[in-house]
Structure formats: structure tokens, C-alpha cells
Amino acid sequence: MLNIHNITVSFQGEDLFAGITFRLNGGNRVGLVGKNGAGKSTLLKVISGDLEYDGGTMAFEKDVSVGFLRQDIDFVAGRTILDEAYEAFIEIKEVERKLENVNKELLERTDYESDSYSELINDLTDLTHRYELLGGYNYQGNTEKILQGLGFKREDFDKLTDTFSGGWRMRIELAKLLLQNNDILLLDEPTNHLDIESIIWLETFLKNYSGAVVLVSHDRMFLDNVTNRTIEISLGQIYDFKKPYTQYLALRGEIREKQLQAQKNQEKEIKQTEHLINKFRAKANKASMAQSLIKKLDKVERIEVDMEDTAVMNVKFPLSIQPGKIIVEAFDLAKNYGDKQVLENVDLLIERGSKIAFVGQNGQGKSTLAKMMVREIPFEGNMKIGHNVQVGYFAQNQSEYLDGEKTVLQIMEDAATDTNRMRVRDMLGSFLFGGDDVDKKAKILSGGERNRLALCKLLLQPINTLIMDEPTNHLDIASKNVLKKALKDFEGTLIVVSHDRDFLQGLTSTVYGFKDKVIKEYLGDIDYFLEQHKMENLREAEKRTEVVVEKKVSNANSKENRQNDKEQKKLQNKLSKVETEISDIEKEIISMDARIADDFEGVSSDPNFYKTYQAKKDRLDGLMESWSELEDQVNA
């Protein structure tokens, strides 16, 4: 599909990356990874044609189409969600317009025997055939299906895009892209504005995508679930392996270890040869042997070890003072935006030392409750913040909280106090803002850099309670790992809003699930929540099927109804068996995930482990499809 050869991109005379070469084929699902600023988004812009490259060649096969999910989008005002999504079908809409004109003309004309009328009939036939080939009779249904998969409700379809936040508009753009059936799909941080359920839906969609996918993501679990190839950009070079991210890391580590050992052995041999050369030079009768060894040494190809960018930020959240036992106590909380009621009759009690995750679909009130806690927005009901509680708040929309015209250093100095102003430069260095980086204006910082600056700024104030809204958006994987460790080590109270399953695993001990204006407490981490949530959905399905069965039994007076009842029971039994197997396999996968986390080296040495692991995940995917089909049959 695409050949990239020796591509080089430079900024202000310095190479961002140089000599990059790789090929994309159909079925490749590439995770493009690397640190913030390594050039991942730049490479996507080069492939899409948004950005010129400075050297090398890029060749596409004939008629290859490329779709690119950019971070910056601009919608036309006045369109509904459906209207905007239909913009994905430019050719279909054009054929529709022509069909409408032809049909209108046919209705108005009466010269049925004329040549021009016959031409109109031929045009109608050709356009109808073209419309059918383009999928004109299916595109509206496919659009609704994908919009619902990405979290939109049917009642949202006729609302104007202007009334939705940037995150929801990004979903519309993603829907348009997925509907276009491009040969190459370029996705820049597609999960940043998705909730967990939508991410899981997107994983399934991309795994079945027939074209090539190149995605930039810092969500490790998403990468492992979707990709079959990893390209890492590091220090201007790429490392390309046909493995998902976690397996790639292990493989690259093994290769680097072998390179280091080979380099060490080679250096030992070179030193021995150099010693012999110096020894033989001193003797006239050994001079020719010395020259021979020198020539041999000159021909030796020195072993190089892959360079590794090990720079990471240094984060620690110190506890300011010990607060009282109660951090937040609230009764009968409610919040609405116009006619939309987001939260209603919410009671809340958060005690000192709690580690809580807020999860649920977008628009269910997670960020709203976080803003209510820091008194950023008005609300109804009673909320009391406990004695000596000092809250540090990390907002999701950092661009609104950082003055774009100020430099990194100015933002920090403005927020500093007399006691910590002298430490500002050292703190910035700990967050990888060194040298001239402190003089950059906030408006030119990348998303990851803005997040790092916001985290650094957070440490300028005394904290014993952290409320963090999507803190991992735009952060590279190494930075996320550092942040996760810092939050695990934090001795205060933590409330985190996040859709990142890998980040949440083992971080919190309680999950608050937000759904339909209600908050439900789950006493466990994100894996426990997802397991319980899935089982709750299955139980809801069972209740629906029971109602259907009862209705059919009540009318079972004829032979036909008795046969229907028998078939219904068979389907119900099959459904129950599939649900039991789903539950069992999910538990096995969770257990294997724990083994990977606890003993990665051990499981990696077992050649059959990942085969078994993948087989179980494939089996689970198959079972979920079977469950969906059976559930539809039972409810038919």
C-alpha cells in the first residue's frame, strides 16, 4: 500500500527524525509509539500529506485512499450530528443529488417518446446502479450504528454539533473517518475523548478493519488489544517489529541485551588485539605481524547498541498536613445544564486515604462532580469539605487553565509562593523542561508538554487531596508509568477521572460508576468494575429474555406455540452456557494479566504462554459474538 524510504523531517536546521524506512501493507495495525516530541504526530502528517518532508521518498500504490484523524477539527456551524456524519459520503451525496434532479425532471416532463427522455431513463438506471455499488442503501444505517458504538444516543442525532463539547465533536470526526472505508487509517490519540465502553467498541472495530491502520496512542492496553506491529520513534530513529507493544518491549529489551553482550565481547577482543599490536611493534621480527593485526582490526565492523531514551520526569506528591477523617460529605446533590439533568439525588461520603476512580460514559457527570468538589461550577444540594482538606485539582482541559501567551517559566513563577519560587527551575527540570524549553510559550507546547507543566504547577501548592481529571491524556507511556507510581505512593486521598484501564489497574481500591444520573460504588479496582459491569449487562439481557419467554408461554395453546416454546428454551440454554463460558474465560484472562504484571520475564520465557493467552482472547471475542447473536434470536 505504501513505501516510505529514507524520509527525513527537520525543524530549524535540526533533524526531528532521519532516514526512516518502512512499508505498510493491508492488515497492518501499527502502534506508532515514542516519547512526547519524538515526532509521532509529525510522521502521521507526512503520510497524510499535511506536511512536507525534507528528504527521502514516499510512494503509494494506485488509488490508495488515506483517512487522518487530526487533533484539531473545524466543523461547519448549523449541522446536526447526522448531517455532519453524512459528510463522510461525498460521492453518495452527490449521486443522491443527481438522482433527485433526474426524478424531478421525469415527473415534470410528458415527452415520453423523445430521445432526451430516453437519455434521462438511462441516466436514472446508471445513477441507481452507481448508488447501489457505493452502498447508498446502507450508509444511513451504518452511520447510526457507528455513532451509537461511539457513545451517541439516538435522541442526539438531530442535535446541532455546536451544542457538543470538543471531545464529542472529535467522536463525530472519528465516526466520519470510520465510515469512509479508507485503505489507510491514521489515528492520532483516538482514545483521548472516549470512555471505556467506546474504547472497547473501537478496539473490536479496528481489529476487523481490512486496510492498514497507523495509530498514535499512549494507552498500553489499547495498543496491545488492537495492534499487530509496533514502530517506535526514539532519538530520530525507528524500531520496527511485528509485535503488539508489550511483546515488542520485551523483544527489544532482549535484542538490546544481546547487543550489549556482543559489544562487550568484541571490545574485549579488540583490547587483546591492540595489546598484541603494541607488543609486536617493539620487535623487528614481529613488525609484519603487527601490520597484519592492524589491517584486521581496521576491517572489524564495530557492534552498535540501539540508543535508548531513558529521560523521564521525576514526580512526587508530598502530603502537606493530615486532614480530618472526612474529606467530602454531600447530600442530595443535583446538577443540570439547561434541560439536561446530569446528576440527581446524589449522596456522597469520602474518607481520608480513599483511592477512588470515577468511570462511566461521557456526559454522565464524572468531570461535573469533580468540578463541583473544587467549587468551579454551581450546583444544587449540600456539600461540605472536611477539616484541613487542601485540594490539588488537575483539569482535563489544560489549554483553558494555562495562559498561552506566557512562557513555561512565567506560568510557574506566577503560581509560586515566596517559599518555593527559588525551586521553580529545578522543578521544571524534573518535569523535563530544561535549558531553553522554559522560555517556550504555552500555546506552542504539545499536549503532553502541557500536561507535564500542569502537573509541575500543581506541586507549587500544599496538597493532601488530589482530584485529577484525565491526567494521562497526551502523556507518553513512560510519563504515565512515572505518574502512576507517584499517585500510588501518595499518602493522601486520591480521586481520579480516567478512561485508561492500564493506568487505573491497581491504582484505586474503589470505583464509582456513573450512569443515568446515579453513582454506584464498586469495592475493587477497574478490573473488578469491568467484570461486574459486564455481568450486570448480561443479567439485564436475561431479564429481557425471561419476559419474552413468559409472553410466549402464556399463548402456548397450539402445537406451533409449543414448538416455539421448545426452541426458545434451547436458545435460552445455549445463551446461559455461553454466558458461563464468557465469565470463566474472563477470569482466566484476568489471572494471566496478573501473571504478566507480576512475573513478565517468567511468562516471556514460556513459548506457549502468549499463544494460550491470545487463543483465550480470540475465544472470548468469538463467544461475545455468539452471545450477541443468541440474545437477538431469543428476543426476536
Side-chain angles (χ1 to χ4, degrees):
M1 283 188 173
L2 169 63
N3 273 316
I4 287 178
H5 184 68
N6 282 336
I7 289 290
T8 297
V9 173
S10 303
F11 289 111
Q12 297 177 344
E14 290 189 13
D15 290 345
L16 180 62
F17 46 74
I20 286 184
T21 297
F22 63 91
R23 176 176 172 80
L24 277 182
N25 296 310
N28 285 167
R29 296 191 298 277
V30 180
L32 187 59
V33 301
K35 292 198 167 186
N36 296 128
K40 304 182 296 295
S41 296
T42 299
L43 183 55
L44 291 188
K45 290 175 183 176
V46 167
I47 296 172
S48 69
D50 285 9
L51 185 69
E52 292 289 330
Y53 47 94
D54 299 296
T57 58
M58 189 165 65
F60 290 91
E61 291 180 2
K62 187 179 179 182
D63 297 329
V64 166
S65 58
V66 179
F68 182 22
L69 179 70
R70 300 167 179 83
Q71 286 299 309
D72 50 332
I73 55 174
D74 187 23
F75 284 162
V76 175
R79 285 180 183 160
T80 66
I81 287 178
L82 268 184
D83 289 338
E84 187 63 49
Y86 289 158
E87 289 299 304
F89 306 100
I90 296 172
E91 191 174 356
I92 287 178
K93 299 297 285 183
E94 178 62 20
V95 173
E96 270 187 346
R97 187 186 62 78
K98 289 179 180 178
L99 277 170
E100 186 178 345
N101 291 337
V102 169
N103 280 314
K104 184 179 178 183
E105 194 170 347
L106 285 171
L107 283 172
E108 293 172 349
R109 291 180 54 168
T110 56
D111 54 333
Y112 308 123
E113 304 299 325
S114 67
D115 291 341
S116 60
Y117 193 89
S118 297
E119 285 180 14
L120 277 177
I121 295 293
N122 290 334
D123 289 343
L124 179 64
T125 302
D126 292 342
L127 286 169
T128 302
H129 181 61
R130 181 65 182 159
Y131 189 71
E132 187 175 354
L133 285 177
L134 290 170
Y137 297 110
N138 302 319
Y139 81 93
Q140 292 179 333
N142 289 338
T143 301
E144 294 185 10
K145 181 179 177 182
I146 283 183
L147 285 172
Q148 287 179 306
L150 289 172
F152 289 98
K153 294 180 180 177
R154 199 171 282 277
E155 54 263 33
D156 295 329
F157 292 170
D158 294 323
K159 294 178 182 176
L160 296 178
T161 59
D162 315 42
T163 62
F164 286 82
S165 67
W168 282 99
R169 278 185 276 182
M170 184 65 77
R171 290 184 188 220
I172 302 170
E173 193 68 14
L174 178 58
K176 286 162 61 178
L177 201 61
L178 299 182
L179 287 163
Q180 286 170 354
N181 291 322
N182 291 291
D183 300 298
I184 298 176
L185 200 56
L186 308 176
L187 305 176
D188 194 357
E189 302 273 19
T191 64
N192 268 2
H193 300 287
L194 300 184
D195 52 56
I196 291 174
E197 290 182 15
S198 297
I199 290 173
I200 292 171
W201 177 88
L202 181 59
E203 286 176 354
T204 303
F205 184 95
L206 292 178
K207 280 191 284 189
N208 296 321
Y209 198 77
S210 59
V213 179
V214 183
L215 62 93
V216 173
S217 178
H218 300 130
D219 186 330
R220 182 172 181 151
M221 192 173 290
F222 181 72
L223 287 169
D224 282 342
N225 288 343
V226 171
T227 64
N228 53 22
R229 180 178 172 189
T230 301
I231 295 178
E232 180 180 8
I233 304 179
S234 178
L235 301 173
Q237 300 180 37
I238 67 165
Y239 301 89
D240 185 359
F241 288 89
K242 293 179 180 178
K243 299 284 183 184
Y245 182 73
T246 299
Q247 293 180 40
Y248 158 74
L249 279 184
L251 187 58
R252 187 182 167 192
E254 290 171 9
I255 290 171
R256 198 166 184 278
E257 282 296 318
K258 289 176 182 177
Q259 287 176 337
L260 283 168
Q261 188 59 47
Q263 187 187 60
K264 187 177 179 181
N265 293 337
Q266 187 186 61
E267 286 173 353
K268 186 177 179 181
E269 291 176 10
I270 289 170
K271 282 182 181 179
Q272 289 173 346
T273 304
E274 288 173 341
H275 175 71
L276 288 173
I277 289 170
N278 292 331
K279 183 178 178 181
F280 293 156
R281 271 177 176 163
K283 298 178 182 179
N285 61 340
K286 299 286 188 180
S288 61
M289 189 175 290
Q291 288 300 316
S292 177
L293 288 172
I294 289 170
K295 288 178 182 178
K296 180 183 176 182
L297 198 58
D298 288 340
K299 292 178 181 178
V300 171
E301 188 174 335
R302 304 298 172 108
I303 295 171
E304 293 184 0
V305 178
D306 292 340
M307 292 185 293
E308 191 173 18
D309 188 355
T310 56
V312 292
M313 61 182 185
N314 182 16
V315 187
K316 183 176 174 62
F317 296 101
L319 190 71
S320 55
I321 57 174
Q322 196 68 256
K325 184 180 179 182
I326 304 300
I327 301 298
V328 178
E329 189 173 17
F331 303 97
D332 202 24
L333 290 182
K335 177 62 184 176
N336 65 285
Y337 294 100
D339 295 333
K340 184 178 181 181
Q341 191 76 32
V342 180
L343 295 171
E344 192 173 37
N345 300 324
V346 172
D347 295 336
L348 203 64
L349 180 65
I350 297 176
E351 296 186 345
R352 180 181 61 219
S354 300
K355 306 286 186 184
I356 299 169
F358 286 0
V359 301
Q361 288 186 330
N362 290 109
Q364 295 293 330
K366 306 184 301 295
S367 296
T368 295
L369 183 56
K371 290 176 182 177
M372 288 161 60
M373 287 180 176
V374 295
R375 296 298 196 272
E376 186 177 299
I377 56 174
F379 57 89
E380 297 175 10
N382 301 301
M383 183 185 294
K384 181 182 177 184
I385 303 299
H387 178 64
N388 279 342
V389 172
Q390 296 176 330
V391 177
Y393 175 55
F394 182 95
Q396 179 181 164
N397 47 338
Q398 287 305 318
S399 58
E400 296 177 17
Y401 289 81
L402 300 174
D403 189 336
E405 294 302 323
K406 290 184 177 180
T407 66
V408 169
L409 184 59
Q410 287 172 337
I411 288 171
M412 285 291 289
E413 287 180 338
D414 289 349
T417 63
D418 291 339
T419 57
N420 56 28
R421 186 165 283 107
M422 296 296 291
R423 294 177 45 239
V424 161
R425 284 185 179 271
D426 290 338
M427 292 174 68
L428 285 170
S430 296
F431 282 80
L432 305 183
F433 292 103
D436 295 337
D437 291 340
V438 299
D439 296 321
K440 288 181 179 178
K441 286 191 175 182
K443 65 182 179 183
I444 68 167
L445 297 179
S446 69
E449 288 171 326
R450 282 199 300 272
N451 269 23
R452 292 207 310 265
L453 178 56
L455 287 169
C456 189
K457 182 183 172 187
L458 194 61
L459 295 178
L460 290 170
Q461 64 187 87
I463 297 167
N464 55 32
T465 300
L466 277 171
I467 299 177
M468 311 197 81
D469 191 356
E470 301 290 7
T472 63
N473 277 359
H474 304 291
L475 283 183
D476 58 56
I477 293 173
S479 297
K480 284 204 308 184
N481 291 339
V482 170
L483 176 61
K484 181 174 180 177
K485 184 180 185 307
L487 292 177
K488 288 179 79 170
D489 293 340
F490 179 52
E491 296 176 358
T493 304
L494 173 66
I495 299 167
V496 58
V497 181
S498 181
H499 60 262
D500 191 323
R501 293 157 294 171
D502 181 60
F503 181 72
L504 289 175
Q505 279 180 329
L507 178 60
T508 62
S509 55
T510 305
V511 173
Y512 284 179
F514 286 64
K515 187 176 182 181
D516 298 331
K517 309 171 197 173
V518 176
I519 302 174
K520 183 174 180 180
E521 185 179 35
Y522 296 81
L523 298 176
D525 73 353
I526 188 64
D527 289 333
Y528 176 78
F529 165 77
L530 288 174
E531 181 182 353
Q532 294 299 310
H533 191 56
K534 192 171 287 185
M535 292 308 297
E536 286 169 8
N537 289 343
L538 289 174
R539 282 196 292 273
E540 286 177 14
E542 285 176 0
K543 289 175 184 176
R544 290 195 298 271
T545 57
E546 285 169 6
V547 171
V548 174
V549 172
E550 286 170 6
K551 286 180 179 178
K552 294 198 174 188
V553 168
S554 65
N555 295 319
N557 298 320
S558 66
K559 184 177 179 181
E560 182 179 348
N561 282 339
R562 284 195 296 273
Q563 182 63 31
N564 287 342
D565 182 44
K566 188 176 180 181
E567 292 297 323
Q568 194 73 19
K569 285 182 179 179
K570 282 183 181 179
L571 287 172
Q572 184 65 50
N573 288 335
K574 286 182 181 179
L575 187 64
S576 297
K577 287 179 182 178
V578 169
E579 288 170 357
T580 301
E581 192 173 352
I582 286 172
S583 178
D584 290 341
I585 288 185
E586 284 179 335
K587 288 176 183 176
E588 290 172 10
I589 290 174
I590 290 170
S591 176
M592 295 180 85
D593 283 336
R595 282 188 63 195
I596 293 172
D598 294 336
D599 183 24
F600 182 76
E601 291 184 3
V603 297
S604 297
S605 63
D606 180 1
N608 295 319
F609 180 87
Y610 281 109
K611 289 182 182 177
T612 306
Y613 182 67
Q614 189 58 50
K616 288 187 181 296
K617 295 183 81 171
D618 292 342
R619 175 62 178 160
L620 181 61
D621 288 342
L623 285 168
M624 291 304 294
E625 288 181 12
S626 299
W627 177 85
S628 178
E629 292 172 2
L630 284 167
E631 199 245 350
D632 287 342
Q633 291 177 42
V634 168
N635 285 321

